Amino acid sequence: MASATNSTNQLLPLELIDKCIGSKIWVIMKSEKEFTGTLLGFDDYVNMVLEDVTEYENTPEGRKTTHLDQILLNGNNITMLIPGGEEYLLQATPLTSQQITKLSSFLTKQIKRSLRLSLNTMIFYYLICFYTL
């Protein structure tokens, strides 16, 4: 992947994802599902292949956990990526679908306002929004 950083040494979102290949990552989907696993690869549409995956689904009965060897995720359905995987997931309280919708809307507005918003900044906004919802 060609380097596309600007003169202030900011890390662009696809560059950050590229640096996560081979590492644990936490993926929050638009639905009630979240995944943690090792990132094997991704494309320009942020379709991702993960291995050694744990799927978390928030249901009315509680949080359901499923282990998968490998999965292909459609980038169109991904709301957020958090490098580091389960270490952050274990500290976080699951988001409700209303919170995810609110957070996704907020981040979309921020991205439209500033195309240079890095994934690190989005994680920061997530933490702020999470504690103010």
Side-chain angles (χ1 to χ4, degrees), residues 29-83:
M29 306 300 284
K30 290 180 181 177
S31 65
E32 294 288 324
K33 293 185 180 185
E34 301 172 19
F35 298 89
T36 61
T38 303
L39 179 63
L40 292 182
F42 70 99
D43 63 14
D44 289 340
Y45 300 101
V46 194
N47 297 314
M48 308 184 125
V49 177
L50 302 177
E51 73 175 353
D52 192 25
V53 180
T54 304
E55 174 185 359
Y56 301 93
E57 183 174 11
N58 297 320
T59 66
E61 296 80 35
R63 185 169 243 197
K64 179 183 166 191
T65 304
T66 308
H67 183 77
L68 306 164
D69 291 332
Q70 202 170 66
I71 193 167
L72 170 64
L73 299 175
N74 184 325
N76 225 14
N77 297 317
I78 294 173
T79 300
M80 189 176 307
L81 305 170
I82 297 111

